[in-house]
Amino acid sequence: PPTGSTSWDGRFALSVDFEVANPETDGRYRRPYVGVWVCDDEGFPIRTLLLWQQKDGLRWLPSLRQWYRDDQIRSFVDDRDIVKTISRSTRPPGSYSVVWDGKDDQGVSQPAGTYTLHVEAAREHGTHQMITKELTLGTTPFEVALEGNVEISHVRLNYHAVHGE
């Protein structure tokens, strides 16, 4: 488990806002596969927040190299395939958001501490891009903007109190 002695404060959540870029292409644009996931302080993947792929895309899923490698480790330990339950179709260029509530893939609350967020994008006849950020999550809210790349033009993280609780 991550460094930290207290449980995740359920009053907080991590919002991950990102934009799929609209690259200039000379040919047919293919939507990128995108994976957003969280690893604990030992590098173990604990929660996949988002996985976009083509409906028949299992063949090409390994193009999300880091997510695929991490998921192979996770599935060996968990002995369960989460791809069919969490994956959705790819999306066109635009702004998207996903929220992490501090729970792992089994719905178990994680402790406060250090985590690494990964945003990975790969596109056929395009590029493979990765954005990674180590975060300390506890009871202090923060916002941070991460530098984008050709596939994901920007990522904004907002660790905030959840309203209504």
Side-chain angles (χ1 to χ4, degrees):
T3 308
S5 58
T6 61
S7 295
W8 178 283
D9 188 331
R11 297 173 299 169
F12 283 84
L14 177 68
S15 295
V16 180
D17 302 317
F18 64 97
E19 183 173 356
V20 174
N22 192 1
E24 299 198 17
T25 63
D26 293 333
R28 181 173 171 220
Y29 173 78
R30 298 187 190 273
R31 297 175 179 180
Y33 283 21
V34 177
V36 179
W37 73 102
V38 179
C39 291
D40 66 17
D41 64 347
E42 295 178 356
F44 184 79
I46 59 167
R47 179 76 181 264
T48 296
L49 302 172
L50 177 143
L51 179 63
W52 293 342
Q53 64 164 342
Q54 297 295 344
K55 289 181 182 178
D56 60 350
L58 292 179
R59 175 179 174 198
W60 302 109
L61 194 55
S63 64
L64 286 174
R65 296 185 292 246
Q66 187 64 46
W67 180 88
Y68 189 77
R69 192 170 25 248
D70 283 357
D71 190 60
Q72 294 298 301
I73 294 166
R74 184 216 46 82
S75 64
F76 179 76
V77 172
D78 290 351
D79 193 29
R80 132 188 122 91
D81 181 8
I82 64 170
V83 172
K84 293 177 184 172
T85 60
I86 64 165
S87 68
R88 302 290 179 256
S89 295
T90 58
R91 303 290 193 270
S95 296
Y96 300 94
S97 185
V98 64
V99 176
W100 184 38
D101 60 1
K103 296 179 181 172
D104 66 10
D105 284 324
Q106 289 78 39
V108 177
S109 289
Q110 299 299 293
T114 303
Y115 294 90
T116 302
L117 175 81
H118 301 277
V119 179
E120 183 176 24
R123 188 166 45 89
E124 183 181 355
H125 305 296
T127 66
H128 173 266
Q129 303 287 317
M130 186 76 160
I131 299 171
T132 301
K133 178 68 174 168
E134 186 175 283
L135 307 166
T136 300
L137 305 176
T139 57
T140 305
F142 64 85
E143 288 186 31
V144 64
L146 306 179
E147 186 175 337
N149 54 48
V150 211
E151 301 295 344
I152 304 295
S153 58
H154 74 268
V155 176
R156 183 180 177 98
L157 307 176
N158 181 358
Y159 185 65
H160 61 281
V162 179
H163 299 290
E165 294 199 16

